[in-house]
Amino acid sequence: MLDLAIIGGGPAGLTAGLYAVRGGANVCLYEEMFTGGQIVKTHRIDNYPGISDGPDGYALAARFEEHASAFGLKIEYGTVSDLVLTEDPKRFTFNGETVEAKTVILATGASPRTLGIPGEKELTGHGVSYCATCDGAFYKNRTATVIGGGDTAISDALYLAKLCKQVYVVHRRDALRACAILADAALKTENITFVWNSVPEAFLGEKKLSGVRLKNRVTGEVTDLETDGVFVAVGVEPRTDLLNGQVALADNGSILTDEHMQTNLKGVFAAGDVRNTPLRQVVTACADGAIAATYALEASRVN
Ligand code: NAP
């Protein structure tokens, strides 16, 4: 039986793994596809202390993984299902085998929120995207529109402005949520045009996106904006589908924890973007992972 099973291999899970192996635990990290989580979609990380050369998220994730692996962290790739957290030992099915663990850290992260407007489902992959780093190159010398006013939307707009002829940023208010350094840079970029106080009502086009229908929330005016691509960046939803109601969640669907990252269940911890946290950054995910691993190890020794 494992002392600790970590589910999810983003910054929170990999840091938890590093701390757990260094603490002498029998630990394994289970990841669905590839390590790094959401940062692999980030073109430049500028706010992780000590790394001022602005690596892309993929490169930083690779460094995290190499670091944890160098200390002996075992990482397995596949699907976790049938998670039972309310009994001891905790258990789940992984690639058809049962895994038992004294403690579990949930580090499953978050995925992009959708808008739920007409045309969104149909045109995803045909002009509608949730990842500028993955799909931006399709819009080289063309027109792209970003929906949202947070850090993701504005860093996406800055990235796209280097590739595209014209970038529109559609935001539902008249002030950006993004941090000042990103907001100032975007406001000064010539080929970024802001469409303030506006929300998308529909994505237009049959088999391929041709534009987005916008409603101005102040005047009520409805207009169609022609665009080759749309990048939706309106926040994230915690990934908790595995839990089947076993763990207490906040109203926003994220996992509630105490200051040791323990959930309402003894021996079950959560770390990173899946947790109810006031700040979703690489550095806070790593900090969560370190705390969760420290107290998971303590709990595994008591068990
Ligand atoms: P976010 O901070 O939650 O921002 C979401 C944006 O979308 C907000 O501007 C919000 O408008 C808008 N929005 C939300 N729902 C909407 C809807 N239904 N229709 C239209 N607009 C809508 O999300 P995020 O930018 O993805 O960032 C998530 C977390 O990751 C944050 O903690 C962020 O700091 C972090 N992050 C950090 C970096 C970085 O540090 N470089 C990069 C990316 C992400 P309002 O402003 O009106 O609420």
Side-chain angles (χ1 to χ4, degrees):
M1 188 191 334
L2 293 169
D3 294 324
L4 167 63
I6 300 168
I7 305 177
L14 288 170
T15 308
L18 173 67
Y19 273 68
V21 279
R22 285 174 55 85
N26 175 18
V27 55
C28 184
L29 185 152
Y30 298 89
E31 165 57 46
E32 198 171 16
M33 293 219 283
F34 43 80
T35 54
Q38 292 176 94
I39 64 165
V40 299
K41 298 192 296 183
T42 305
H43 26 92
R44 193 178 161 94
I45 310 260
D46 267 336
N47 53 2
Y48 191 75
I51 303 184
S52 57
D53 57 344
D56 64 48
Y58 191 84
L60 185 60
R63 287 198 220 173
F64 285 173
E65 182 181 330
E66 278 161 25
H67 189 168
S69 299
F71 279 97
L73 178 65
K74 195 170 150 208
I75 302 175
E76 298 273 11
Y77 294 90
T79 307
V80 169
S81 62
D82 306 320
L83 185 59
V84 178
L85 297 172
T86 47
E87 294 168 21
D88 287 313
K90 323 292 176 201
R91 62 180 187 275
F92 54 87
T93 304
F94 181 77
N95 289 348
E97 304 275 318
T98 301
V99 176
E100 291 186 334
K102 292 180 185 169
T103 61
V104 170
I105 295 178
L106 303 163
T108 44
S111 43
R113 183 179 291 145
T114 56
L115 287 160
I117 60 174
E120 186 174 20
K121 254 192 202 150
E122 299 81 345
L123 293 168
T124 293
H126 303 281
V128 176
S129 169
Y130 300 83
C131 176
T133 321
C134 323
D135 298 331
F138 294 126
Y139 304 98
K140 200 169 177 194
N141 299 324
R142 298 167 78 200
T143 299
T145 299
V146 177
I147 314 288
D151 285 332
T152 303
I154 302 310
S155 48
D156 283 358
L158 287 166
Y159 174 72
L160 292 166
K162 293 197 182 108
L163 297 169
C164 301
K165 187 173 64 184
Q166 173 67 47
V167 175
Y168 294 100
V169 175
V170 174
H171 183 35
R172 64 183 177 184
R173 294 186 287 133
D174 62 358
L176 295 174
R177 176 179 293 278
C179 67
I181 196 159
L182 291 175
D184 291 347
L187 290 164
K188 282 189 204 137
T189 301
E190 264 184 24
N191 63 338
I192 297 180
T193 302
F194 285 87
V195 183
W196 301 111
N197 296 314
S198 296
V199 285
E201 288 207 316
F203 293 129
L204 310 173
E206 286 286 308
K207 291 196 170 134
K208 199 171 89 167
L209 181 88
S210 59
V212 51
R213 181 154 298 153
L214 301 177
K215 182 170 185 178
N216 185 301
R217 297 172 76 212
V218 177
T219 63
E221 191 188 357
V222 176
T223 50
D224 289 350
L225 176 70
E226 267 184 45
T227 188
D228 297 307
V230 163
F231 292 87
V232 179
V234 295
V236 292
E237 302 281 357
R239 295 186 60 193
T240 56
D241 10 337
L242 257 184
L243 304 179
N244 275 328
Q246 295 173 91
V247 174
L249 303 180
D251 289 345
N252 63 12
S254 59
I255 300 174
L256 288 166
T257 64
D258 64 16
E259 63 181 8
H260 292 171
M261 305 299 143
Q262 185 160 250
T263 68
N264 61 312
L265 299 177
K266 209 166 149 260
V268 179
F269 298 77
D273 281 8
V274 74
R275 187 176 87 79
N276 189 33
T277 169
L279 189 61
R280 291 192 159 87
Q281 306 274 320
V282 182
V283 71
T284 51
C286 292
D288 280 7
I291 295 169
T294 302
Y295 289 95
L297 257 58
E298 193 177 288
S300 75
R301 284 173 187 140
V302 175
N303 270 349

